[in-house]
Amino acid sequence: MTVTAAGSATRTLTFRDAFGEGLREALAADDRVFLMGEDVGRYGGCFGVSQGLLDEFGPERVRDTPLSESAFVGAGIGAALGGTRPIVEIMTVNFALLALDQIVNTAATLRHMSGGQLNVPLVIRIPTGPGRQLAAQHSHTLEGWFAHVPGLRVVTPATVTDARGMLASALADPDPVLVFEQIALYGASGDLPVTAGPVDLDRAAIRRPGHDVTVVGYGGSLAPALAAAEQLAAGGVSAEVVDLRTLRPLDSATVLESVARTHRLVVVDNAWRSGGPTAEVVARVAEQALDELDAAIERVAAAEVPLPYPRHLEEAALPSADRVVAAARRALA
Amino acid sequence: MSKLASERSVQTDPQALLTTMIRIRRLEERCAALYSAGAIRGFLHLCVGEEAVAAGVLDALGPDDAVVSTYREHGHALARGIPMAALLAEMFGRTTGCSHGRGGSMHLFDAARRFYGGNAIVAGGIPLATGLALADRYRDRPWVTACLFGDGAVAEGEFHESLNLAALWRLPVVFCCENNRYAMGTALERSHAETDLALRAGSYGLRAWAVDGMDAVAVREATALAVDTARTGAGPCFLELRTYRFRAHSMYDADRYRDRAEIDEWKDRDPIDRLATLLTDEGLLGAGGRAALEAAADAEIDEAVAVAEAGPIEPVEDLTRHVTTEVPA
Ligand SMILES: Cc1ncc(C[n+]2csc(CCOP(=O)(O)OP(=O)(O)O)c2C)c(N)n1
Ligand SMILES: [Mg+2]
């Protein structure tokens, strides 16, 4: 444990451990909560997040499922209707496509189709994102597809504090919540206030205040946004970095307020540019704050290509701090 | 298990089954007329000919058991006890409908009666039913979930994934396949290499058997056995209920893919005629008895239509309601 200058005690831990602690705490706190998914138990989770939980909580509460994404996601929906609080893990977002029917046609619609009689308190954890040379079926950033759907909440923890706290908040939500965990961040560490607890799921967060340009990222694109802000600061440019945190419902107010201060906007997205979540951010700024802009909006997003395997090509396809810096400089030119 | 539930499942009341089937048949015929008159819109799938399945399966369940159904669910909903006026109001899009008017014919819900829809994605309700049963198992409740779907659903991956999962975890679910031999215009043998559906279901390690789905008493008794099996922890069961729809797939369907002779052959096995004849032969249904049941059903429907038509429509200002939790202002 360390104590920062501000006097708050923190400890350093990895995203993997932050997510794992969140799971352990949720299982310990409420016996209606159980975890199920492929290899969450004996294997310890495909990325090691649920290591040790089977021994601690037993096979009723940490359930290994067959390779049946649609069935176990749908079973999670039914179990949620039946008064439990399931946490379903889908191994990665590309496999979540096999459960799209249950997520989009059932979880997101039951409340509406039943005229408000039913609700689905289900949490689905989905590892996502690029950065490990896993090629075109294991690297994509598809959070935005789910964020398109009314009836779902989509959250994208990009800090250790959110990784630790978002699960408890998601479990408290009476409606389905999808938590997207960045595969590339599992091994990364950050500082967690020892007092950290549940976090709000409604608001975007300003991760770095600034006054010259607003840089918006989320999930896996927060890191290049922050790194770019650091580089820009060295050159005398003050960038404000906004972490969207939740893609649905989208907190556009925080972005609009920031743009009203900086008058310049750069969005950073590991998803493809066309129709990605930050395209919606851009649209809202264009609708509601066009007058505030002193420069054209800049977009740094994934190239329109399935992610390639070779490192240099994967890197070239994705936003980098350098590309964000260049975009910010164009906006400031 | 409650004493009542176990007693319920051994006693079959054929008169009650006949009454239910007649109410369903008359309601469905009225729905067709209301559709032609423009009072019901969207897709409308009727279950005329399949009433023995609805009456028999639903009658074998207790009030705490859950039901998951498809878009062809009017009969199931009625047999579950949802009032006719609430069903019709739903089809008229009124707020007094059993889904507040938001669902229509294909999405009938009633949380209090544990009637979980009304799913119009073929096989989409099967994982859901599996999960309801998982919750009951997890919470140690002696409840069973009945999941109704068609023969077409057996070709979907969700069916196979769910049967394996339910059997693996020995979940208390009864899979009730209404095999009416057609998935829209595609005959069973044109979409299944192996048409013995019970045989295929049985390969997942659960009890599966075929039942004459035109015989309400047989359906009732088979379901009662399956429900008892599931309730006592012996795992899920699969019933292949062999039946036939007398009408087209939906009101849009010109029904060009079936032989007239085939339809007539099945109509000779009409489940209502069959049970009425049986009851008459046994002296349990007097002369004019069936006509009286039909008249009573018609009177119930007349009144329900009037009540449903008087129901309000939802104000457009409420359009975006019922999407996520509504926090009171
Ligand atoms: C996943 C999916 N595919 C296609 C359809 C279109 N569709 C609606 S009903 C139906 C036939 C289903 O047949 P079956 O399961 O036998 O049920 P039945 O209509 O005979 O009761 C089809 C293809 C659908 N609703 N859902
Ligand atoms: Mg069919």
Side-chain angles (χ1 to χ4, degrees):
Chain A
M1 193 198 294
T2 56
V3 177
T4 64
S8 55
T10 63
R11 64 195 167 97
T12 303
L13 79 172
T14 61
F15 279 76
R16 176 180 292 107
D17 290 341
F19 285 119
E21 281 187 14
L23 285 170
R24 178 172 291 105
E25 180 186 71
L27 286 161
D30 183 348
D31 67 7
R32 296 173 307 167
V33 172
F34 65 92
L35 172 67
M36 69 173 159
E38 293 159 4
D39 280 318
V40 297
R42 205 165 287 192
Y43 188 94
C46 180
F47 300 100
V49 173
S50 47
Q51 198 75 50
L53 296 180
L54 174 63
D55 289 342
E56 208 172 324
F57 296 99
E60 286 292 308
R61 306 200 53 209
V62 179
R63 310 179 76 99
D64 283 317
T65 65
L67 295 165
S68 304
E69 287 80 6
S70 201
F72 69 73
V73 169
I77 297 168
L81 288 177
T84 64
R85 287 286 182 281
I87 302 168
V88 172
E89 174 180 313
I90 304 177
M91 209 176 251
T92 79
V93 70
N94 286 82
F95 316 152
L97 305 188
L98 280 81
L100 265 183
D101 168 48
Q102 290 301 315
I103 298 170
V104 177
N105 286 323
T106 307
T109 58
L110 275 177
R111 179 188 282 276
H112 184 81
M113 291 195 300
S114 68
Q117 291 175 82
L118 301 176
N119 65 295
V120 181
L122 171 69
V123 175
I124 308 179
R125 298 174 42 236
I126 310 179
T128 183
R132 294 174 19 130
Q133 284 191 263
L134 296 179
Q137 292 179 332
H138 288 76
S139 303
H140 290 145
T141 296
L142 304 178
E143 291 86 308
W145 289 8
F146 299 90
H148 184 62
V149 183
L152 303 177
R153 182 187 282 276
V154 176
V155 301
T156 58
T159 65
V160 160
T161 304
D162 277 350
R164 177 67 180 81
M166 275 185 166
L167 181 67
S169 312
L171 282 166
D173 192 312
D175 298 310
V177 181
L178 276 54
V179 181
F180 283 94
E181 305 179 0
Q182 290 296 320
I183 294 169
L185 288 181
Y186 277 132
S189 330
D191 290 336
L192 181 74
V194 291
T195 53
V199 293
D200 102 276
L201 297 181
D202 290 324
R203 299 298 305 261
I206 293 174
R207 297 296 181 199
R208 179 185 176 116
H211 47 77
D212 293 328
V213 56
T214 298
V215 182
V216 172
Y218 67 93
S221 68
L222 180 64
L226 284 169
E230 196 66 36
Q231 287 184 34
L232 287 163
V237 173
S238 161
E240 177 150 289
V241 178
V242 177
D243 173 6
L244 293 174
R245 298 181 69 245
T246 293
L247 299 182
R248 175 176 280 273
L250 188 65
D251 170 22
S252 24
T254 298
V255 177
L256 293 168
E257 283 159 25
S258 178
V259 169
R261 283 190 291 276
T262 64
H263 310 293
R264 289 173 173 80
L265 176 64
V266 177
V267 297
V268 190
D269 205 328
N270 279 349
W272 296 295
R273 173 187 310 257
S274 309
T278 54
E280 178 63 23
V281 172
V282 168
R284 293 195 191 187
V285 170
E287 279 170 347
Q288 296 170 54
L290 201 55
D291 295 351
E292 295 287 355
L293 291 170
D294 288 345
I297 294 167
E298 289 285 338
R299 295 208 271 164
V300 182
E304 306 275 335
V305 59
L307 281 187
Y309 160 69
R311 169 153 314 278
H312 70 292
L313 292 182
E314 184 183 34
E315 281 175 355
L318 292 167
S320 63
D322 289 345
R323 289 175 61 204
V324 177
V325 167
R329 292 205 186 285
R330 282 194 300 273
L332 285 155
Chain B
M1 189 199 325
S2 77
K3 192 92 194 322
L4 191 71
S6 66
E7 280 170 5
R8 241 187 102 83
S9 58
V10 288
Q11 290 166 6
T12 297
D13 176 353
Q15 275 109 332
L17 294 176
L18 182 66
T19 305
T20 302
M21 288 199 290
I22 287 174
R23 288 173 69 230
I24 295 170
R25 170 84 48 101
R26 304 303 277 199
L27 176 65
E28 292 291 63
E29 296 295 0
R30 185 70 64 92
C31 286
L34 288 163
Y35 195 91
S36 302
I40 300 174
R41 298 283 76 189
F43 280 136
L44 182 70
H45 308 86
L46 303 173
C47 71
V48 175
E50 306 181 23
E51 295 90 346
V53 172
V57 168
L58 275 290
D59 194 58
L61 303 177
D64 289 329
D65 295 329
V67 184
V68 175
S69 183
T70 67
Y71 48 86
R72 197 183 299 286
E73 87 283 40
H74 302 174
H76 308 149
L78 189 69
R80 186 60 183 171
I82 305 180
M84 261 186 204
L87 299 178
L88 285 161
E90 187 57 37
M91 295 186 227
F92 296 163
R94 309 302 166 108
T95 58
T96 41
C98 61
S99 307
H100 207 73
R102 291 289 178 130
S105 159
M106 298 192 287
H107 305 304
L108 305 173
F109 284 85
D110 188 333
R113 290 183 175 82
R114 303 205 74 213
F115 193 86
Y116 293 99
N119 196 316
I121 305 299
V122 170
I126 307 178
L128 185 85
T130 304
L132 283 160
L134 171 61
D136 291 336
R137 194 70 202 279
Y138 187 84
R139 303 301 283 172
D140 220 3
R141 296 181 296 229
W143 302 342
V144 170
T145 299
C147 181
L148 295 124
F149 50 87
D151 48 290
V154 174
E156 294 280 4
E158 294 192 312
F159 168 85
H160 297 274
E161 290 187 8
S162 301
L163 259 70
N164 177 54
L165 194 69
L168 184 71
W169 290 351
R170 300 179 80 77
L171 300 177
V173 47
V174 177
F175 297 105
C176 305
C177 177
E178 286 189 85
N179 179 3
N180 62 12
R181 309 196 53 80
Y182 288 85
M184 285 183 61
T186 305
L188 192 69
E189 52 280 1
R190 293 182 56 236
S191 58
H192 295 273
E194 170 56 73
T195 57
D196 185 336
L197 304 183
L199 179 74
R200 289 165 68 195
S203 76
Y204 288 107
L206 45 78
R207 289 190 213 180
W209 67 101
V211 182
D212 180 353
M214 304 306 266
D215 178 347
V217 173
V219 172
R220 167 71 172 72
E221 281 168 1
T223 310
L225 178 60
V227 165
D228 283 350
T229 303
R231 207 188 295 286
T232 52
C237 293
F238 173 95
L239 301 176
E240 180 192 338
L241 304 156
R242 294 188 174 157
T243 182
Y244 200 79
R245 63 171 157 73
F246 293 171
R247 280 180 161 273
H249 169 74
S250 76
M251 299 301 282
Y252 282 95
D253 171 15
D255 206 347
R256 294 200 191 88
Y257 46 83
R258 302 191 295 187
D259 277 351
R260 201 59 240 174
E262 179 185 287
I263 300 173
D264 289 341
E265 216 171 278
W266 279 90
K267 281 187 173 170
D268 287 343
R269 301 172 54 192
D270 186 314
I272 297 179
D273 291 349
R274 179 162 164 177
L275 186 55
T277 304
L278 188 83
L279 289 174
T280 306
D281 290 351
E282 293 189 0
L284 295 167
L285 187 70
R290 176 172 176 175
L293 289 173
E294 287 169 346
D298 287 344
E300 183 188 3
I301 295 165
D302 287 342
E303 196 192 325
V305 169
V307 170
E309 276 173 342
I313 59 165
E314 203 170 356
V316 173
E317 302 81 75
D318 286 356
L319 173 65
T320 56
R321 287 193 58 196
H322 309 307
V323 178
T324 51
T325 310
E326 291 169 10
V327 187

